[in-house]
Amino acid sequence: RAVQFAPIDVIVLLVVLGSVFLLGIWVSWRSRNATDSADFFLGGRDMAWWAVGGSLFASNIGTEHFIGMAGSGASSGMPVSLYEWTAGWLIVLLG
């Protein structure tokens, strides 16, 4: 059976996509005074810790975690989850 989108689904989708687009435009206009690649790649070293942490967390989560790690955990047990917890603490310690 095909999934049907309600009008509210389309509205929410368009609002989210439009917001992300407008945020990108705003950030690009704001960063026009960047002088070198360090300003571009490092944000002028002026980013909040929670933004950097959220970016690291978000870039580490993907389909591999939700499907692959669940399958590995089901077949291997605790070693998979212990590996992930150890990696998280090492990122914090080495950070």
Side-chain angles (χ1 to χ4, degrees):
R1 180 178 146 186
V3 176
Q4 298 293 321
F5 280 108
I8 189 70
D9 296 329
V10 175
I11 291 169
V12 168
L13 178 66
L14 292 175
V15 166
V16 169
L17 291 176
S19 299
V20 170
F21 180 75
L22 291 174
L23 179 66
I25 296 294
W26 177 71
V27 168
S28 74
W29 281 343
R30 198 180 108 196
S31 66
R32 288 186 187 246
N33 61 358
T35 57
D36 60 5
S37 62
D39 284 342
F40 179 78
F41 288 108
L42 300 175
R45 296 192 184 273
D46 190 33
M47 291 186 70
W49 66 268
W50 54 267
V52 175
S55 175
L56 286 171
F57 179 76
S59 64
N60 191 31
I61 299 296
T63 306
E64 180 260 337
H65 271 76
F66 295 118
I67 302 209
M69 296 301 279
S72 296
S75 67
S76 302
M78 285 300 290
V80 174
S81 64
L82 292 176
Y83 168 78
E84 287 297 317
W85 278 101
T86 303
W89 286 111
L90 287 175
I91 289 172
V92 170
L93 290 174
L94 296 174

